[in-house]
Amino acid sequence: MLFGKSIKFGGKSIGCQQGDITEAEVDAIVNAANNHLWMGAGVAGAIKRKGGQTIEDEAVKHGPIKVGEAIATGAGSLKARHVIHAAVMGQDLRTNAELIREATVNSLMLADRLGSKSIAFPALGTGVGGFPIAECADIMIGASAKFIEKSTVLEKIVFVLFDRSGFEVFATRLEQLGGFTAH
């Protein structure tokens, strides 16, 4: 990771980092998936290239799933233990605010059930789905803040943005939510 920022909730944190999500040192990383769970380009392609074909092979056995739902697979050769595949769009490659919110919350609930203390998300639906990144940041950060306050397992949520502009959008939204701790 290049650099990051976070806000604290007692002993828990929500943060954002610029870098490669496949390098995140967390228990689970989230894949912005289609509902058939095929892993093509973007974040899914990067996860498959670095973690191995076994991730996609395992994922498609669970599909198709309802858009907004999430399933977990092993993480192949990634540092994470699990990949959570959040179906943020269907075969039409379209998404909306409610699907992004559902996919985020369902991913967080699944991470909790898996016993994950930390999770890394990309900006769901902003690549192929074309959803505006600022609105995505508001939705995902808002849902995460509500969730982490109640979670008894999850301690760290981090949004990993590959490019500087995406990182800055998420960092600004986090700053608006609360005080910063730079690291």
Side-chain angles (χ1 to χ4, degrees), residues 1 5-6 10 22 28-30 33 38-39 44-45 49 54 74 80 88 105 130 136 140-141 145 151 155 159 163:
M1 300 303 154
K5 297 186 177 182
S6 64
T22 66
I29 64 171
V30 177
W38 299 315
M39 298 175 75
R49 276 190 305 279
T54 59
V88 73
V105 170
C136 173
M140 293 184 74
I141 291 169
S151 175
E155 298 172 357
F159 297 98
D163 63 28

Side-chain angles (χ1 to χ4, degrees), residues 43-128:
V43 171
I47 291 170
K48 183 167 76 171
R49 276 190 305 279
K50 189 152 265 178
Q53 180 66 40
T54 59
I55 298 170
E56 181 179 40
D57 293 345
E58 187 179 346
V60 296
K61 290 177 185 175
H62 295 281
I65 62 174
K66 181 177 173 264
V67 178
E69 290 182 354
I71 62 102
T73 65
S77 58
L78 298 175
K79 293 176 184 179
R81 291 184 306 149
H82 304 282
V83 175
I84 295 176
H85 303 266
V88 73
M89 65 187 97
Q91 296 310 293
D92 61 0
L93 304 180
R94 294 182 185 214
T95 193
N96 60 47
E98 188 53 37
L99 293 174
I100 291 170
R101 185 177 342 278
E102 282 179 33
T104 300
V105 170
N106 285 329
S107 295
L108 291 166
M109 290 189 319
L110 182 52
D112 235 22
R113 286 194 305 273
L114 292 169
S116 299
K117 292 184 182 291
S118 57
I119 186 171
F121 279 95
L124 296 177
T126 62
V128 174

Side-chain angles (χ1 to χ4, degrees), residues 1-5 16-20 123 133 159-173 183:
M1 300 303 154
L2 298 176
F3 53 88
K5 297 186 177 182
C16 64
Q17 297 176 329
Q18 183 181 353
D20 179 348
I133 194 160
F159 297 98
V160 181
L161 296 305
F162 190 74
D163 63 28
R164 173 98 183 171
S165 60
F167 167 78
E168 289 175 353
V169 169
F170 271 76
T172 298
R173 293 312 198 259
H183 54 268

